[in-house]
Amino acid sequence: MPAATTTSTALAHPALTLGLLLVLATLVGLVGCTAIPFFSYTSATGETYGIGALGYWVDGRAVSEKYHYAAPSSWPSPLTHAPLLLLIHLPLFILLALVLLYYLVLLVRPAGAGAAEPLKRVERAPTAPRVAQLAVGAAALIIVVCDAAMWGIADHRGEVLTGAPLGFAVVIAGPVLLVLWAANQSASWLAYRAYVARK
């Protein structure tokens, strides 16, 4: 078997599809559904803020536990927009969870005689859902770029803004996972086209 075909087959593997989706949904869910700090900001007075979607922390103490909370007056721009930016991760998580649910339905739905094995159903998902998934992936990449841009803008303005461990995980691993997911979806689409051609 040619090396290119072997690589394409590996990229299209259903386990990779499900694994990437699970990791992406978990990372985005931690950002969008919890108060786990994504950014860490140290003010001019020496206070350290852990900034999450569902609230922020001051020197390790939780202060707010709601979405789109009012940023403290000591936060400079662009940090005043952090609550809204992190809130945007919530609908993204919902979209990723729906995509994962779609594949889980393919795995567990009853199949008649001669139907494909469950994992093959994932690999042979039709084109329309894959286009929708790539759109979700593109939206996720844009949001990750916005996350990184906030760091860059704050650094340019001389603010002491760094990433919390979750922030580093998303900004560094996120683009890599999304590129792998795009490759996986493209390879799976080619596998689906080959399957249709054989029918």
Side-chain angles (χ1 to χ4, degrees):
M1 182 180 292
T5 303
T6 303
T7 302
S8 177
T9 301
L11 281 174
H13 199 282
L16 181 60
T17 302
L18 296 170
L20 286 171
L21 269 173
L22 184 59
V23 174
L24 281 168
T26 300
L27 279 176
V28 174
L30 288 174
V31 177
C33 302
T34 72
I36 296 174
F38 186 88
F39 298 114
S40 179
Y41 168 64
T42 302
S43 69
T45 59
E47 288 181 310
T48 299
Y49 294 88
I51 306 171
L54 195 54
Y56 65 94
W57 301 67
V58 181
D59 295 329
R61 178 174 54 87
V63 174
S64 177
E65 293 184 358
K66 63 179 181 179
Y67 285 114
H68 201 23
Y69 49 86
S73 58
S74 59
W75 291 8
S77 178
L79 282 187
T80 50
H81 304 296
L84 180 58
L85 174 61
L86 295 177
L87 174 59
I88 293 173
H89 292 74
L90 176 59
L92 177 61
F93 166 69
I94 293 171
L95 290 173
L96 286 168
L98 287 173
V99 173
L100 186 58
L101 180 62
Y102 166 76
Y103 280 123
L104 291 178
V105 169
L106 288 182
L107 282 174
V108 303
R109 73 179 182 186
E117 297 176 2
L119 282 178
K120 282 294 182 183
R121 294 181 218 155
V122 172
E123 183 181 19
R124 295 171 183 173
T127 302
R130 295 195 185 282
V131 172
Q133 291 168 59
L134 288 174
V136 173
L141 185 58
I142 290 170
I143 291 173
V144 171
V145 169
C146 290
D147 293 334
M150 183 167 288
W151 275 336
I153 294 170
D155 181 66
H156 179 71
R157 295 180 178 178
E159 303 296 342
V160 184
L161 178 68
T162 60
L166 179 59
F168 279 119
V170 171
V171 172
I172 294 172
V176 176
L177 292 170
L178 289 167
V179 168
L180 276 174
W181 189 28
N184 166 259
Q185 290 301 302
S186 299
S188 297
W189 180 75
L190 291 175
Y192 171 71
R193 296 283 293 178
Y195 164 70
V196 171
R198 290 194 303 267
K199 289 181 69 176

